[in-house]
Amino acid sequence: MLRFTAGRTPHSRIHSKSTRRLATALAVPVLLLGAAACGSDDGGSGSSSGSGKISVEGAFGQPPKISVSKDAKAPDEIKVNTVTEGKGTAVAKGDFVRFDYAVQTTKEGMTPQGSWAESQGGSAKGPRRSMVQQVGGAGSVPASVFDKLVGHKAGSRVWAEGTVKSMYGAQLPQNGLNPDDGLIWVIDVVNAAKIDPKGEAKGEQAKPEAGMPEVKVEPGKAAEITVPKGEKPPKELKEQVLIKGDGPELKAGDGLVGQYTGVFWDGGKKFDASWDHKDAPGATGFQIGTSSVIAGWDKGLVGKHVGDRVLLVIPPDLAYGDTPPPGSNIPKGATLVFVVDIVGKV
C-alpha cells in the first residue's frame, strides 16, 4: 500500500493507485530539470517517430518534447519505439526498475506530465525525483506498457503509443478519458536490478533500545510491533538498526526495495504492511532522499545498507502532521512506527 492517495503510506502526496494513476499524472505541472541521469549511451538529443504523426525528441535524462499532429490517431495495439538505446543493464522479467516518465494524450494542446513534474518538497540541488516499479507489477505506468521495457538497457529512452483501452483494458482511469483516446508514454530507464520480492533481512536481531518498541518478525509475515506501555511518543526521530546487513549503502536518489510494517504509536494498531498487499504482497520499491517518501523515511533510511532491518519512530512533523493522506485512516498528529527490511537497491 505504498501508493499513498489510495492509502499507501510512506509515499509523499503525489501518487495514486493503478486505476487513478493516469489522472494523477495528467494533473501536475512539468518541471524542466537540467540534471542528466546516469546510463545514457551518448547524451544526444535523440528523436523518434511512431505513426508519423507523433514524434519524441530530447536527450535521455531531460524532459522529452512530444509533438502530436492534429490528425494523429493512436493505434489499436500498443506500439513501442526507441529514441535512445542505452548500454547499461538490460531489463528482465520481474526486475525492479528506476525510471523517469512523461505521459500525455494525443489531444491537441496537451502538455506532457509525469515524474519530471514539479512536486512538493523537492530540492533543485539534490538528485532528481524518479520512480521505482517492478516489471509485471502495478505502478505509475500501466503494466501493459511497462512490461515492454524487457530487453531495453539502462540509459534507454523508449516511448509507447496506443489507446486508453489498449493500455488499461477494462479498468479505465477515472479522469474523463474515453477508451479510444490516444496516450503517449515516454520512459527513461535509469537502472534495473533483479531483487527477490519475498526477500527479508537475515541474521540475529538486536534487542530494542530503552524506550523503543519491541519487534517480532516471522518469515513471510508483517512484523509484530509492541509499543512500550506508558511511554510518551518521542518528539524527535528515533532509529535503530535491528539487523546489520552487509550490502551496499543507500544514497539519496537510490531506489530502495524493502519489506515494511507500520503501526501507530498510540494503541500500536497496524495500518500498513507490504506483506498484506492483496495485489502484490512482498517487497515494494520507492526512491529515498528526494522527498518522494515522508521525511522520516528519508532521514532514517539514507545511509543504511542492503540487508539492514531498521526500526523507525517518526514524530508527526516528519510524517504526515495535520494533513494525513485521504483514505489512509491515519489520524492528525500521529506518531508512526515502522520496521523496514532493506532487501535491495536499484
Side-chain angles (χ1 to χ4, degrees):
M1 295 194 347
L2 272 173
R3 304 296 176 188
F4 122 88
T5 53
R8 304 197 163 190
T9 47
H11 273 277
S12 65
R13 303 162 179 80
I14 60 170
H15 306 306
S16 57
K17 205 170 181 179
S18 56
T19 56
R20 302 178 188 174
R21 284 186 182 120
L22 184 60
T24 300
L26 294 176
V28 289
V30 168
L31 174 64
L32 302 183
L33 299 178
C38 61
S40 176
D41 57 348
D42 57 10
S45 61
S47 65
S48 179
S49 295
S51 62
K53 299 178 184 289
I54 300 173
S55 66
V56 176
E57 298 180 339
F60 174 90
Q62 301 289 331
K65 179 182 178 181
I66 304 173
S67 300
V68 183
S69 299
K70 292 182 180 180
D71 57 347
K73 180 176 175 58
D76 292 332
E77 296 184 0
I78 299 172
K79 181 178 181 181
V80 177
N81 311 274
T82 301
V83 180
T84 303
E85 187 62 44
K87 296 180 179 179
T89 302
V91 177
K93 292 182 179 179
D95 279 1
F96 284 86
V97 180
R98 181 156 55 92
F99 64 99
D100 295 308
Y101 78 96
V103 58
Q104 77 171 61
T105 73
T106 55
K107 294 180 179 179
E108 184 179 0
M110 292 297 295
T111 301
Q113 313 298 330
S115 62
W116 278 284
E118 183 176 7
S119 55
Q120 297 178 359
S123 172
K125 296 182 180 180
R128 182 178 64 254
R129 176 180 286 173
S130 55
M131 311 295 292
V132 180
Q133 184 171 328
Q134 186 180 18
V135 176
S140 301
V141 181
S144 59
V145 174
F146 200 75
D147 292 358
K148 294 185 183 302
L149 294 179
V150 171
H152 291 280
K153 298 179 179 179
S156 296
R157 167 167 286 182
V158 299
W159 66 280
E161 57 178 325
T163 62
V164 171
K165 182 178 180 180
S166 69
M167 295 178 176
Y168 285 90
Q171 289 188 325
L172 299 180
Q174 300 171 2
N175 61 349
L177 292 176
N178 298 314
D180 294 330
D181 287 341
L183 288 177
I184 306 159
W185 293 83
V186 182
I187 301 173
D188 281 6
V189 181
V190 179
N191 201 0
K194 187 171 293 298
I195 300 167
D196 182 7
K198 304 300 182 184
E200 300 175 84
K202 303 294 184 182
E204 185 176 354
Q205 181 172 291
K207 294 182 179 180
E209 298 172 353
M212 293 289 277
E214 293 185 359
V215 176
K216 180 181 179 181
V217 181
E218 295 185 10
K221 296 182 179 180
E224 295 181 12
I225 303 172
T226 304
V227 177
K229 293 182 179 180
E231 289 280 348
K232 293 184 178 181
K235 295 182 179 181
E236 298 180 352
L237 174 69
K238 298 293 184 181
E239 59 178 278
Q240 182 184 357
V241 177
L242 298 176
I243 295 177
K244 181 63 177 176
D246 57 3
E249 180 181 351
L250 286 157
K251 299 178 180 180
D254 283 343
L256 183 156
V257 179
Q259 312 286 2
Y260 71 91
T261 302
V263 306
F264 300 122
W265 179 277
D266 291 335
K269 182 180 179 180
K270 180 178 64 174
F271 59 86
D272 196 2
S274 56
W275 287 112
D276 295 345
H277 298 166
K278 294 181 180 180
D279 51 353
T284 304
F286 50 91
Q287 191 186 34
I288 59 171
T290 59
S291 298
S292 298
V293 291
I294 56 176
W297 278 50
D298 278 346
K299 292 179 179 292
L301 296 177
V302 170
K304 299 301 188 290
H305 295 77
V306 173
D308 285 356
R309 173 171 291 163
V310 185
L311 173 61
L312 299 172
V313 181
I314 304 175
D317 63 322
L318 297 179
Y320 295 106
D322 291 332
T323 56
S328 67
N329 295 318
I330 296 176
K332 293 181 179 180
T335 295
L336 307 180
V337 182
F338 286 97
V339 172
V340 182
D341 282 13
I342 305 172
V343 299
K345 63 175 283 186
V346 60

